[in-house]
Amino acid sequence: MKYLVFLLAIIFVVSCGTETEDQPPSSEGSSTPTLKQVWETDTLLRTPESVLFDPEREVIYVANVNMNPWEKDGNGFLSKLDLAGNILELEWITGLSGPKGMGIRGNSLFVADIDEVVEVDLETATIVNHYVVADTPTLNDISVYQNEVYVTGSNSNKLFELKDGALSIVLEGDLGRPNGVFAEGDRILMITSNSSELKSIDKASKEQTFLVDSLGHGDGIVPVGNGDYLASSWRGEVFHISSDWKRTQLLDTQEANINAADIEYIQEQNLLLVPTFFDNRVVAYRVEK
């Protein structure tokens, strides 16, 4: 009888150990969040394409293309919001044409504006530099990582880097119309609006790795902070992308004809900011995990 009990105990221990090994490891980023709207701005904004949070000054910048996103009309401008969605200064920086993606390095705010990157001094709120690209680069989004500044060229199918006072081509070819970009570590994440995919680009080798498909009219890509990401489709969708590259739709405003352009995520507040383009608002959602 003792031997029988001992044998059963061994079988139980081995069985439990096997089940533990077969179970996938738990991950903080494995659960899919939900969105809860917390505020929206007034409709005084004019075709807001991109939003960016400035943690040092605790304000939100909004790039207003003001109707035609690719026309050199000089009517584009930047706005400033507070963290409750109130418009602090509607026409904070003026004289732009089709301002879109933005990024901060030190006291400089870089803005993609059709065929140039405009540098704004955040201390004086003045434009201090214009980095112009020849031909028709259709500059769209910007990502800053440490001293690196990357810019996508949508219709030109190019990825640029602002370095030594000039924009140089990092990558070009059949890129699927690059839109949103996010640089981190040794890679650059890029979301495309024609091929509707998210890909990774190795900074050193420039090798491209496919990650996620079916992202609609891919527009913005931002990190959640736990290995996951949020991505937007300009036609009106927001997706959660897990650290193992699984896609889940969180928001769909397409039937209401409300766009979801170049998004921003404030990690400390779990706050997603969605510029609605022709709907002339920025809408904030709490990301509930």
Side-chain angles (χ1 to χ4, degrees), residues 145-285:
Y145 176 76
Q146 297 180 357
N147 289 324
E148 304 164 355
V149 180
Y150 294 98
V151 191
T152 55
S154 290
N155 294 339
S156 61
N157 272 295
K158 294 176 181 177
L159 176 66
F160 299 89
E161 182 179 4
L162 178 59
K163 191 173 183 179
D164 300 325
L167 283 160
S168 58
I169 298 173
V170 174
L171 198 64
E172 62 182 325
D174 186 12
L175 301 182
R177 195 176 188 273
N179 195 329
V181 63
F182 178 72
E184 58 181 1
D186 58 0
R187 71 180 181 186
I188 304 164
L189 297 180
M190 188 168 68
I191 186 172
T192 62
S193 56
N194 276 0
S195 57
S196 304
E197 62 186 8
L198 176 66
K199 61 182 72 176
S200 173
I201 300 166
D202 184 271
K203 289 181 181 178
S205 68
K206 307 302 185 294
E207 180 181 353
Q208 300 178 57
T209 302
F210 167 81
L211 299 174
V212 185
D213 63 4
S214 303
L215 292 172
H217 195 95
D219 203 312
I221 175 75
V222 290
V224 175
N226 59 355
D228 297 354
Y229 299 85
L230 296 170
S232 62
S233 166
W234 179 83
R235 299 190 187 281
E237 296 175 279
V238 172
F239 301 96
H240 172 261
I241 299 176
S242 62
S243 57
D244 57 352
W245 311 117
K246 305 296 182 184
R247 169 186 57 83
T248 305
Q249 186 191 71
L250 301 184
L251 180 71
D252 187 354
T253 55
Q254 294 177 97
E255 288 191 3
N257 292 318
I258 299 175
N259 302 110
D262 190 7
I263 56 177
E264 170 70 303
Y265 182 66
I266 305 175
Q267 295 182 12
E268 294 76 11
Q269 300 192 21
N270 297 329
L271 200 65
L272 171 67
L273 307 176
V274 181
T276 62
F277 210 70
F278 290 126
D279 192 57
N280 293 321
R281 295 176 301 147
V282 170
V283 182
Y285 299 88

Side-chain angles (χ1 to χ4, degrees), residues 22-81:
D22 288 344
Q23 292 173 351
S26 61
S27 170
E28 183 184 356
S30 60
S31 60
T32 302
T34 58
L35 301 182
K36 180 181 179 181
Q37 183 175 329
V38 291
W39 55 255
E40 61 183 46
T41 66
D42 199 332
T43 55
L44 294 174
L45 300 174
R46 287 294 170 261
T47 329
E49 198 280 338
S50 180
V51 283
L52 180 69
F53 175 57
D54 183 343
E56 182 175 337
R57 297 161 185 84
E58 294 192 330
V59 295
I60 299 164
Y61 305 123
V62 183
N64 299 262
V65 302
N66 200 358
M67 295 307 293
N68 192 324
W70 301 113
E71 184 177 342
K72 294 284 291 183
D73 48 23
N75 68 358
F77 59 92
L78 305 182
S79 302
K80 282 170 61 175
L81 312 178

